[in-house]
Amino acid sequence: MSLIKVGLVGIGAQMQENLLPSLLQMQDLRITAACDSNLDRALQIRRYLSDTPVFDNVPAMLDTMQLDAVIMAGPPQLHYEMGLLAMRKGVHVFVEKPPCATLEELETLIDAARHSKVVAGVGMNFKFARPVSQLREMTKAEEFGDILHIQLNHYANKPRAPLWGLDSTLRSFLLAQAIHTIDLAVTFGKGELQKVQSSVQRHDDALIVKVEMAFSSGATASLLAGTTFPYFEFDMKLVSSSSTLVELDNLWNITLHEPEHATRPTGAAKRWRGAWQPGPLDSGYERSGYHGELHQFFEAMRKPQRYEADFASLLPTYHVIEEICANDAAAQGKQNIQSKIRTGIESLSL
Amino acid sequence: MSLIKVGLVGIGAQMQENLLPSLLQMQDLRITAACDSNLDRALQIRRYLSDTPVFDNVPAMLDTMQLDAVIMAGPPQLHYEMGLLAMRKGVHVFVEKPPCATLEELETLIDAARHSKVVAGVGMNFKFARPVSQLREMTKAEEFGDILHIQLNHYANKPRAPLWGLDSTLRSFLLAQAIHTIDLAVTFGKGELQKVQSSVQRHDDALIVKVEMAFSSGATASLLAGTTFPYFEFDMKLVSSSSTLVELDNLWNITLHEPEHATRPTGAAKRWRGAWQPGPLDSGYERSGYHGELHQFFEAMRKPQRYEADFASLLPTYHVIEEICANDAAAQGKQNIQSKIRTGIESLSL
Amino acid sequence: MSLIKVGLVGIGAQMQENLLPSLLQMQDLRITAACDSNLDRALQIRRYLSDTPVFDNVPAMLDTMQLDAVIMAGPPQLHYEMGLLAMRKGVHVFVEKPPCATLEELETLIDAARHSKVVAGVGMNFKFARPVSQLREMTKAEEFGDILHIQLNHYANKPRAPLWGLDSTLRSFLLAQAIHTIDLAVTFGKGELQKVQSSVQRHDDALIVKVEMAFSSGATASLLAGTTFPYFEFDMKLVSSSSTLVELDNLWNITLHEPEHATRPTGAAKRWRGAWQPGPLDSGYERSGYHGELHQFFEAMRKPQRYEADFASLLPTYHVIEEICANDAAAQGKQNIQSKIRTGIESLSL
Amino acid sequence: MSLIKVGLVGIGAQMQENLLPSLLQMQDLRITAACDSNLDRALQIRRYLSDTPVFDNVPAMLDTMQLDAVIMAGPPQLHYEMGLLAMRKGVHVFVEKPPCATLEELETLIDAARHSKVVAGVGMNFKFARPVSQLREMTKAEEFGDILHIQLNHYANKPRAPLWGLDSTLRSFLLAQAIHTIDLAVTFGKGELQKVQSSVQRHDDALIVKVEMAFSSGATASLLAGTTFPYFEFDMKLVSSSSTLVELDNLWNITLHEPEHATRPTGAAKRWRGAWQPGPLDSGYERSGYHGELHQFFEAMRKPQRYEADFASLLPTYHVIEEICANDAAAQGKQNIQSKIRTGIESLSL
């Protein structure tokens, strides 16, 4: 498998803007087929690569072509069903997030991956983003101490209605957006997820979701996420046992506050902090993680070894998502009962 | 009372660095006495004001001098006891935070203020800080919409041991530090405080405190506060129903994110935001709120009218403080029982 | 002279907002007289200090009161004439900038100060501002190396017309505004000022002034200053022989770029830099330099010793100002001649 | 020419990291040959594109393959000589900067391009960088007014020795680095370049170069560039006749200061400014300009039309570079004469 043969599934915006460009610049990899239920869209691959065979359904592509891996970017139903199919056929599978709509489906995917022995995983690009990698490296240093708390803010402005034929805007938001930041909480939280508390506020069709998580490492995490914001932005903070606070702003700038920070001319002095920013010509797909998520996927195929963002790695994240939905359903149920009681009282009082 | 006569109590760092300079630059106000249990320290007032009478106890000062108001900066026991005494004597009272150690004591102060009919209150300078005033003004504008959520981060590095003879580091931290940010949550939360959830993490002698609050306005607030940080800093965010997010960084910079933000040459365009920062020569005590808290106190005396930071205004804040302490005691109790059980089991298993 | 007796001259905005509050919080100093050509304004001092004698002319005040020093905040003519008078009477003199309108007048002031042996100087608050002091300290460290270049940007929006009865907007702007940043160039440039180049652009009644300076230390300085900006802001950068670049933004934030910058958890790593910002409660008049300029003036009186911002210290700054004005007059002269020639040619060609 | 056939020349870091990835994601374009004097390096193309013919010299590639365009990334001698050859053969030519070592050579390239009628140009990616495009758009708006002044700071840490066999570190630095920022000055300066003043400071093997430019539009530009800095960064400021100041920090953040800036909840209020930053997932080669420079080159081939960064567009930039070198030679000559005179005097005084 020195030259990996890849089939693409779902030739939409995410594929054309982020995954395809990342794949094209990878060494020893060839895109040998493209598939989209809309064949015209599948044909767009030929603007980049002449004569690439195209398909309007995945089974046909898998049967016709000798593929080492499929890369999918579509709705979760596609990722789930065609992911299962591809794994059963022994083809390595990389799907965009979300891989599926429920924890139950995720468990099926995990099982299938285990049985098929392929490398399978999900495009959790935040986890592979360069500044997040820097943070992960940094938190491994003894001088950083232990992570005590993680604060994550995820500012989104959509979805305001259910996606992918689901019936819940909340679940759609969690699967489409918050999945990344929950996954970061799990990544930095370390140990086992032990406790989840959550609440959901609604304003018109917009949501604010708050989640508290606790991990067996002793670390806790807070997430503020929602769709009441003007545009997508993101920040996170890590608090450690060595009185160090590190902030990441929008996958761009890192600020590190520590008790004794020094420059050469000032020596250690109060209120000095370390700040990092990317170079002015920083380009490509490494900072945003699209390169890293794919690069490590193919590395895992080549070695072979476990892929860090495999389906199993998302188990705690889906547990959190299910918990948030269940808590919200319970809270809404309670409210409904209360408003029924109130309505009843009002009826009585007439 | 065109010229207000003021007696100072507690001539330490906070008095000399912030309150005294603010008082000296106020019009139609005279400092006519100074009191400190350490008479040498009381005498330091004469470096600023010749011949000022000095005292080593408050009752003597109150009996000797005709004072309109006393300004105190000492431990909570002093504020509480001498505050009660001054109010009983019909003297207006302004004390540094914290005014007292418990909710019960606060209620006594509230009662005393009501009966004595003096103006009485606490130096909640954050609430009067200029950028906080700007935020308060901003949130009144119809275009801002309703506040849905408030996020407050309070980064401190002390106290690591109990203060003022109290037996709890947690309570000391809440009274000395977090009181400000809890008060900001109450200020922006609006309506009645309806719910408090809290948890405390400990690492060596350092604390991380997380608090969730809900208000009758529908707004919620989250506070992250603690003593695990390298130096004191602070930030807050307000999320509104008009998809506006406003951030305050350290009582310095304000950033306002809104769905449609425009400059003259660009028109409304995505990812533009409004940013405010103080002028380079911004000086004095207005930005930090020390001027505003005192100025409004004397205004309330003059009109007369209610002082915004009166003892009663701190009721919800002390409720939150008591709740945090009680929740923590309960959690520690449970843990103790569990570790006893565990110890028991271990004994048994031997 | 353990208790310094001070007379104030010019009780306007600058006095009431910055100098008076700074003076009031100084130890062992008393304001014993106030003078303003508008006696009502002079009387405003009594809102702060009862019974202070007031005057409507400086000679009367100097004759009547035993003053150690006068602090003046008025037009340059006042500073110049009354400064000379006070010095002749052996009274120490502190004047707001500008001390006078021309280099010639400055030389007269310098002479007078030398003969009278009083401490005399000018309110160059930028030079005494806390972050500027930090920079000065920093640049003394061996690790900083030698300053190679200083870049100063001075963004102003006024004056758009001549001030103080002068006939030049350019000179007015230089005396009222750019004097500070030219003085910073001189302060950090070190050694003797050896060369000045300048040019002035005009747009309607607004100016852009560019100045290049060279010093015997080998350092150079560039100043961009003008009145075409929306509001007053300021920044400066220092480039050193150790490949260090330090930036000061608006008397607030300092950023230090150095070849090897480290944090404890990352070690030395590329693109990390040191950043400093003032604490959230930073208050008073130290950051802006109003406290420092006066504090050091009185220290110089007490020791006695040379005052750093004495009249002589402004010699290079006034040389630069005269040079800019002369260069501009020459450039305008040339232009006038050219337009006359052009007009002549046009006449001929008719 | 619906499908453009491209040959690559120079398969080093710049080609593999920036140009090749940008080319691979362009529609209707095929890389059909690769050339490098080191054939092993040329063969690296096959890790991305199987079976691509490779060459170790450009004439052979041009003779063998039917190419529409060549893209070169090598030393200026290669760009110059092989650029001339390719143009003579009617092949469109895109070369990395610098296209050649001298103004004289540039004029030869301009002539050749004119005669051959091909599209030819240089990879001036800064000019095509997305935030620079935003600035160019912004400055076209009537509300922006006219550009009065441009300030450019170019912080580099190399070269410290001559490149490409040249004998001047200064010329090497200008061609390798400052060419971008001089080109930005020319781009925003508008009209004809009328005046250049420059000076060079040396410290060990490091340089600081200062350049003042004036344009027929009335705009002026100042450039501070050098190799005394710890790492490459960049910033620029534009001052306009409408009292607007716009800053670009490192091809990342834009800040726009204007006299009346408003947010919805605050209305127009002082010291508010507009700030823009890229989204957290901003990826690819558009922000840095590598995509734009190539995209517009191929657009120019397709239409056909003039390419904005053609050889002729660099005439003013090379004039500035020659002027800087000549001024520096003159200054060094003068210094040499002076030191000779001094040496003479010293000899005499013996």
Side-chain angles (χ1 to χ4, degrees):
Chain A
M1 199 174 49
S2 67
L3 200 67
I4 295 178
K5 289 191 291 291
V6 167
L8 306 184
V9 178
I11 315 299
Q14 171 65 354
M15 182 63 82
Q16 292 199 37
E17 288 167 17
N18 292 311
L19 301 184
L20 177 58
S22 300
L23 291 167
L24 285 169
Q25 64 182 268
M26 278 178 187
Q27 300 186 334
D28 306 324
L29 178 153
R30 293 297 175 273
I31 293 160
T32 57
C35 176
D36 198 296
S37 58
N38 175 337
L39 203 61
D40 280 345
R41 209 154 58 181
L43 282 163
Q44 289 177 18
I45 195 69
R46 298 206 181 148
R47 303 202 69 178
Y48 308 97
L49 300 164
S50 309
D51 311 322
T52 309
V54 297
F55 298 87
D56 67 0
N57 71 89
V58 178
M61 180 177 80
L62 291 175
D63 286 347
T64 313
M65 309 297 298
Q66 274 303 83
L67 295 175
D68 297 311
V70 285
I71 310 290
M72 302 197 215
Q77 293 88 340
L78 175 82
H79 299 158
Y80 177 68
E81 283 167 29
M82 293 304 113
L84 288 177
L85 179 71
M87 288 191 284
R88 243 178 278 132
K89 288 179 183 283
V91 175
H92 302 284
V93 169
F94 178 95
V95 301
E96 256 305 306
K97 51 87 200 162
C100 54
T102 64
L103 174 58
E104 204 186 335
E105 287 179 2
L106 184 74
E107 285 167 340
T108 307
L109 287 169
I110 293 168
D111 262 8
R114 193 177 304 129
H115 286 114
S116 67
K117 298 198 168 96
V118 298
V119 174
V122 183
M124 303 306 295
N125 64 295
F126 276 60
K127 187 186 236 154
F128 296 95
R130 190 152 44 188
V132 173
S133 301
Q134 284 177 260
L135 258 53
R136 295 175 76 179
E137 210 50 51
M138 194 185 291
T139 56
K140 282 181 203 154
E142 205 187 326
E143 289 82 356
F144 189 79
D146 297 318
I147 295 176
L148 299 180
H149 184 62
I150 304 145
Q151 182 178 73
L152 290 145
N153 289 323
H154 185 125
Y155 313 108
N157 59 4
K158 58 180 184 187
R160 297 291 183 98
L163 300 173
W164 311 308
L166 298 180
D167 58 5
S168 158
T169 304
L170 175 60
R171 182 176 289 266
S172 301
F173 166 66
L174 296 173
L175 290 170
Q177 297 260 356
I179 191 171
H180 281 303
T181 29
I182 297 170
D183 187 53
L184 287 181
V186 169
T187 301
F188 286 99
K190 283 163 191 170
E192 214 178 309
L193 175 69
Q194 291 190 318
K195 204 171 132 189
V196 179
Q197 284 182 311
S198 69
S199 65
V200 176
Q201 277 172 272
R202 286 177 166 78
H203 186 269
D204 295 339
D205 52 0
L207 302 167
I208 296 179
V209 181
K210 279 168 286 176
V211 193
E212 298 290 316
M213 291 158 265
F215 297 88
S216 61
S217 63
T220 57
S222 305
L223 170 64
L224 171 68
T227 58
T228 54
F229 301 94
Y231 36 76
F232 173 55
E233 292 208 319
F234 156 81
D235 60 57
M236 73 178 284
K237 296 189 163 83
L238 300 171
V239 186
S240 90
S241 61
S242 69
S243 290
T244 299
L245 170 67
V246 59
E247 305 178 64
L248 172 60
D249 173 28
N250 270 312
L251 299 180
W252 299 111
N253 291 13
I254 302 173
T255 309
L256 189 139
H257 308 259
E258 54 187 350
E260 295 263 302
H261 187 78
T263 72
R264 281 190 310 159
T266 61
K270 220 194 159 186
R271 295 205 176 277
W272 279 93
R273 60 210 67 188
W276 181 92
Q277 60 181 64
L281 295 176
D282 180 284
S283 300
Y285 299 86
E286 291 188 29
R287 198 193 48 74
S288 54
Y290 295 117
H291 182 276
E293 65 181 18
L294 287 162
H295 179 75
Q296 294 204 19
F297 175 75
F298 295 117
E299 283 298 293
M301 281 173 60
R302 283 202 165 91
K303 296 252 162 130
Q305 66 190 15
R306 202 200 138 216
Y307 177 48
E308 194 186 352
D310 64 6
F311 293 130
S313 76
L314 281 170
L315 258 182
T317 300
Y318 270 74
H319 269 291
V320 172
I321 290 173
E322 294 295 344
E323 196 84 23
I324 296 168
C325 291
N327 290 347
D328 182 55
Q332 292 209 294
K334 222 186 287 173
Q335 235 177 297
N336 287 344
I337 289 164
Q338 284 173 344
S339 60
K340 270 181 204 156
I341 293 171
R342 235 177 285 125
T343 317
I345 292 167
E346 278 156 17
S347 318
L348 280 173
S349 67
L350 286 174
Chain B
M1 200 170 53
S2 68
L3 202 66
I4 295 178
K5 290 191 290 290
V6 167
L8 306 184
V9 178
I11 315 300
Q14 171 66 354
M15 182 63 84
Q16 292 200 38
E17 289 167 17
N18 292 310
L19 301 183
L20 177 58
S22 301
L23 290 166
L24 285 169
Q25 65 183 268
M26 278 179 189
Q27 301 186 333
D28 307 323
L29 178 151
R30 293 299 175 272
I31 293 160
T32 57
C35 176
D36 198 297
S37 58
N38 175 339
L39 203 60
D40 281 345
R41 208 154 57 181
L43 281 163
Q44 290 177 19
I45 195 69
R46 298 206 181 149
R47 304 203 66 178
Y48 308 96
L49 300 164
S50 309
D51 312 322
T52 308
V54 297
F55 299 87
D56 67 0
N57 70 90
V58 179
M61 179 176 80
L62 290 175
D63 287 345
T64 314
M65 308 298 298
Q66 270 308 79
L67 296 174
D68 297 311
V70 286
I71 311 290
M72 303 197 212
Q77 293 89 336
L78 174 82
H79 299 158
Y80 177 67
E81 284 166 30
M82 293 303 115
L84 287 176
L85 178 72
M87 288 191 282
R88 244 179 277 132
K89 289 179 182 281
V91 175
H92 303 284
V93 169
F94 177 97
V95 301
E96 255 305 308
K97 51 87 200 166
C100 56
T102 63
L103 173 58
E104 205 185 334
E105 287 179 2
L106 184 74
E107 284 167 342
T108 307
L109 287 169
I110 293 169
D111 262 8
R114 192 177 303 131
H115 286 114
S116 66
K117 300 203 165 90
V118 299
V119 174
V122 184
M124 302 305 295
N125 64 297
F126 276 59
K127 188 186 234 153
F128 296 95
R130 192 153 42 188
V132 173
S133 301
Q134 285 177 258
L135 257 53
R136 295 176 75 179
E137 210 49 51
M138 194 185 291
T139 56
K140 282 181 202 155
E142 205 186 325
E143 289 81 359
F144 189 80
D146 297 318
I147 294 175
L148 300 180
H149 184 63
I150 304 144
Q151 182 177 72
L152 290 145
N153 291 321
H154 185 124
Y155 314 108
N157 59 3
K158 58 180 183 186
R160 298 291 182 100
L163 301 173
W164 311 308
L166 297 181
D167 58 5
S168 158
T169 304
L170 174 61
R171 183 176 289 266
S172 301
F173 167 65
L174 297 173
L175 290 170
Q177 296 261 356
I179 191 171
H180 281 303
T181 29
I182 297 170
D183 186 53
L184 288 181
V186 169
T187 301
F188 285 100
K190 282 161 192 174
E192 214 178 308
L193 176 68
Q194 292 191 319
K195 205 172 133 188
V196 179
Q197 286 183 309
S198 69
S199 66
V200 176
Q201 279 172 270
R202 284 176 166 79
H203 184 270
D204 295 340
D205 53 0
L207 302 167
I208 296 179
V209 181
K210 280 168 286 176
V211 192
E212 298 290 316
M213 290 159 265
F215 298 89
S216 61
S217 64
T220 56
S222 305
L223 170 63
L224 170 69
T227 59
T228 54
F229 300 95
Y231 36 77
F232 173 54
E233 292 209 318
F234 157 79
D235 60 56
M236 73 179 285
K237 295 189 164 82
L238 299 171
V239 186
S240 91
S241 61
S242 69
S243 290
T244 299
L245 170 68
V246 59
E247 307 177 63
L248 173 60
D249 173 28
N250 270 312
L251 298 178
W252 299 111
N253 290 15
I254 302 173
T255 308
L256 189 139
H257 308 258
E258 54 188 351
E260 296 263 300
H261 186 77
T263 71
R264 282 188 311 160
T266 61
K270 222 193 159 186
R271 295 205 177 276
W272 280 94
R273 59 209 69 188
W276 181 92
Q277 60 181 65
L281 296 174
D282 182 285
S283 300
Y285 299 86
E286 291 187 29
R287 198 192 49 72
S288 54
Y290 295 117
H291 182 275
E293 66 180 18
L294 287 162
H295 179 75
Q296 293 204 20
F297 176 74
F298 295 117
E299 282 299 291
M301 281 173 60
R302 283 202 165 91
K303 295 253 161 131
Q305 66 190 17
R306 205 201 136 216
Y307 177 47
E308 195 187 349
D310 63 7
F311 294 131
S313 75
L314 281 170
L315 259 181
T317 300
Y318 270 74
H319 269 291
V320 172
I321 291 172
E322 295 295 345
E323 195 84 22
I324 295 167
C325 292
N327 291 345
D328 182 55
Q332 294 208 291
K334 222 185 288 172
Q335 236 178 297
N336 289 343
I337 289 165
Q338 285 174 344
S339 59
K340 272 179 202 156
I341 292 171
R342 236 178 283 124
T343 318
I345 292 168
E346 279 156 15
S347 319
L348 279 174
S349 67
L350 285 176
Chain C
M1 199 175 48
S2 68
L3 201 66
I4 295 178
K5 288 190 291 291
V6 167
L8 306 184
V9 178
I11 316 298
Q14 171 65 355
M15 183 64 82
Q16 291 199 37
E17 289 167 17
N18 292 311
L19 301 183
L20 176 58
S22 299
L23 292 166
L24 286 169
Q25 64 183 267
M26 279 180 185
Q27 300 186 334
D28 306 324
L29 178 153
R30 293 296 176 272
I31 293 160
T32 57
C35 176
D36 197 296
S37 58
N38 176 338
L39 203 60
D40 280 345
R41 210 154 56 182
L43 281 163
Q44 290 177 19
I45 195 69
R46 299 206 181 149
R47 304 202 69 177
Y48 308 97
L49 300 164
S50 308
D51 312 320
T52 309
V54 297
F55 300 86
D56 66 1
N57 70 88
V58 178
M61 181 176 79
L62 291 174
D63 287 345
T64 315
M65 308 297 299
Q66 272 304 80
L67 295 175
D68 297 310
V70 284
I71 311 291
M72 301 196 215
Q77 294 88 340
L78 175 82
H79 299 159
Y80 177 67
E81 284 165 28
M82 294 303 114
L84 287 176
L85 179 71
M87 288 191 284
R88 245 178 277 133
K89 288 178 183 282
V91 175
H92 302 284
V93 170
F94 179 96
V95 301
E96 255 306 306
K97 50 87 200 163
C100 54
T102 63
L103 174 59
E104 206 186 333
E105 288 180 1
L106 185 73
E107 286 167 342
T108 307
L109 287 169
I110 293 168
D111 262 9
R114 193 177 302 131
H115 287 114
S116 65
K117 298 200 168 94
V118 298
V119 175
V122 184
M124 303 305 294
N125 64 295
F126 276 60
K127 187 184 235 155
F128 297 95
R130 191 153 42 187
V132 173
S133 302
Q134 285 177 260
L135 258 54
R136 295 175 75 179
E137 210 49 52
M138 194 185 290
T139 57
K140 281 181 203 154
E142 204 187 327
E143 289 82 356
F144 189 80
D146 297 319
I147 294 176
L148 300 180
H149 184 62
I150 304 145
Q151 183 178 72
L152 289 145
N153 290 322
H154 185 124
Y155 314 108
N157 58 4
K158 58 181 184 187
R160 298 291 184 98
L163 300 173
W164 311 306
L166 298 180
D167 58 5
S168 157
T169 305
L170 174 60
R171 183 175 289 267
S172 302
F173 166 66
L174 297 172
L175 291 170
Q177 296 261 356
I179 191 171
H180 282 301
T181 29
I182 297 170
D183 187 54
L184 288 181
V186 169
T187 302
F188 286 99
K190 283 162 191 171
E192 213 177 310
L193 175 69
Q194 291 189 318
K195 203 171 136 190
V196 179
Q197 284 182 311
S198 69
S199 66
V200 177
Q201 278 171 272
R202 285 176 166 80
H203 185 270
D204 295 340
D205 52 0
L207 302 167
I208 296 180
V209 181
K210 278 168 287 175
V211 192
E212 298 290 317
M213 292 159 263
F215 297 89
S216 61
S217 63
T220 57
S222 305
L223 170 63
L224 170 68
T227 59
T228 53
F229 300 95
Y231 36 76
F232 173 54
E233 292 208 318
F234 156 80
D235 59 58
M236 73 179 285
K237 296 188 163 83
L238 300 171
V239 186
S240 89
S241 61
S242 69
S243 290
T244 299
L245 170 67
V246 59
E247 307 177 63
L248 172 60
D249 173 27
N250 270 312
L251 298 180
W252 299 110
N253 291 13
I254 302 173
T255 309
L256 189 139
H257 308 258
E258 54 187 352
E260 295 263 301
H261 187 78
T263 71
R264 281 190 308 159
T266 62
K270 221 194 158 184
R271 296 204 177 278
W272 279 93
R273 60 209 68 188
W276 181 92
Q277 60 180 64
L281 295 175
D282 181 283
S283 299
Y285 299 85
E286 292 188 29
R287 197 191 49 73
S288 55
Y290 295 117
H291 182 276
E293 65 181 18
L294 287 162
H295 180 75
Q296 294 204 18
F297 175 75
F298 295 117
E299 283 299 291
M301 281 173 60
R302 283 203 166 90
K303 297 250 163 136
Q305 65 190 16
R306 203 200 138 217
Y307 177 48
E308 195 186 351
D310 64 6
F311 293 130
S313 75
L314 281 170
L315 258 182
T317 300
Y318 270 75
H319 269 290
V320 173
I321 290 172
E322 294 296 345
E323 196 84 22
I324 296 168
C325 291
N327 291 346
D328 183 54
Q332 292 208 294
K334 221 185 287 173
Q335 235 178 300
N336 288 343
I337 290 163
Q338 284 172 345
S339 61
K340 271 181 204 157
I341 292 171
R342 236 178 284 126
T343 317
I345 292 167
E346 277 156 16
S347 318
L348 280 173
S349 69
L350 284 176
Chain D
M1 198 171 52
S2 67
L3 201 66
I4 295 178
K5 289 190 291 290
V6 167
L8 306 184
V9 178
I11 315 299
Q14 171 66 354
M15 182 64 83
Q16 291 199 38
E17 288 167 18
N18 292 312
L19 302 183
L20 177 58
S22 300
L23 292 167
L24 285 170
Q25 64 183 268
M26 277 179 189
Q27 300 186 335
D28 306 324
L29 179 153
R30 292 299 174 272
I31 292 160
T32 57
C35 175
D36 198 296
S37 58
N38 175 338
L39 202 59
D40 280 345
R41 209 154 58 180
L43 281 163
Q44 290 178 18
I45 195 70
R46 298 205 181 151
R47 304 201 68 177
Y48 307 97
L49 300 164
S50 309
D51 311 322
T52 308
V54 297
F55 300 86
D56 67 1
N57 71 89
V58 178
M61 181 177 79
L62 290 174
D63 287 346
T64 314
M65 309 298 298
Q66 272 306 78
L67 295 175
D68 297 311
V70 284
I71 311 290
M72 302 197 214
Q77 293 88 337
L78 174 82
H79 299 157
Y80 177 67
E81 284 165 30
M82 294 303 116
L84 287 176
L85 178 71
M87 288 192 283
R88 244 178 278 132
K89 289 179 181 280
V91 175
H92 302 284
V93 169
F94 178 96
V95 301
E96 256 306 306
K97 49 89 202 165
C100 55
T102 65
L103 173 59
E104 204 185 335
E105 287 180 0
L106 184 73
E107 285 167 342
T108 305
L109 286 170
I110 294 168
D111 263 7
R114 193 178 302 130
H115 286 114
S116 67
K117 299 200 167 93
V118 298
V119 175
V122 184
M124 302 306 294
N125 63 296
F126 275 59
K127 188 185 233 153
F128 296 96
R130 192 153 44 187
V132 173
S133 301
Q134 284 177 258
L135 257 52
R136 296 175 74 179
E137 209 50 51
M138 195 185 291
T139 57
K140 282 181 202 155
E142 206 186 324
E143 289 81 357
F144 190 79
D146 297 319
I147 293 175
L148 300 180
H149 184 62
I150 303 144
Q151 182 178 71
L152 289 145
N153 289 323
H154 186 124
Y155 314 108
N157 59 3
K158 56 179 184 188
R160 297 291 183 100
L163 302 173
W164 311 307
L166 297 180
D167 58 6
S168 158
T169 304
L170 174 60
R171 183 176 288 268
S172 301
F173 167 65
L174 297 173
L175 291 171
Q177 297 261 356
I179 192 172
H180 281 303
T181 29
I182 298 170
D183 187 54
L184 287 181
V186 169
T187 301
F188 285 99
K190 282 161 191 171
E192 215 178 309
L193 176 69
Q194 291 189 319
K195 206 171 133 188
V196 180
Q197 285 183 310
S198 69
S199 65
V200 176
Q201 277 172 271
R202 284 178 166 77
H203 185 269
D204 295 339
D205 52 1
L207 303 167
I208 296 180
V209 181
K210 279 168 285 176
V211 193
E212 298 290 316
M213 291 158 265
F215 298 89
S216 61
S217 64
T220 56
S222 304
L223 170 63
L224 170 69
T227 58
T228 53
F229 300 94
Y231 36 77
F232 173 54
E233 292 209 317
F234 157 79
D235 60 57
M236 73 179 283
K237 295 189 165 82
L238 300 170
V239 186
S240 90
S241 61
S242 68
S243 290
T244 299
L245 169 67
V246 58
E247 305 178 63
L248 173 59
D249 173 29
N250 270 314
L251 299 179
W252 299 110
N253 290 13
I254 302 172
T255 309
L256 190 139
H257 308 258
E258 55 187 350
E260 296 263 300
H261 186 78
T263 72
R264 283 189 309 160
T266 61
K270 221 193 159 184
R271 296 204 177 275
W272 279 94
R273 59 210 67 186
W276 182 91
Q277 60 181 64
L281 296 175
D282 182 285
S283 300
Y285 299 86
E286 292 187 28
R287 198 193 49 72
S288 55
Y290 295 117
H291 182 276
E293 65 181 18
L294 287 163
H295 180 75
Q296 294 203 20
F297 175 74
F298 295 117
E299 282 299 291
M301 281 173 60
R302 284 202 165 90
K303 294 255 163 126
Q305 66 191 14
R306 204 200 137 217
Y307 176 48
E308 196 187 349
D310 64 7
F311 293 132
S313 75
L314 281 170
L315 259 182
T317 300
Y318 270 74
H319 269 290
V320 173
I321 290 172
E322 295 295 346
E323 196 84 22
I324 296 168
C325 292
N327 290 347
D328 183 55
Q332 293 208 292
K334 222 185 287 173
Q335 237 179 295
N336 288 345
I337 290 164
Q338 285 173 344
S339 60
K340 271 180 203 155
I341 293 171
R342 235 177 286 123
T343 317
I345 293 169
E346 279 156 15
S347 319
L348 280 173
S349 67
L350 286 174

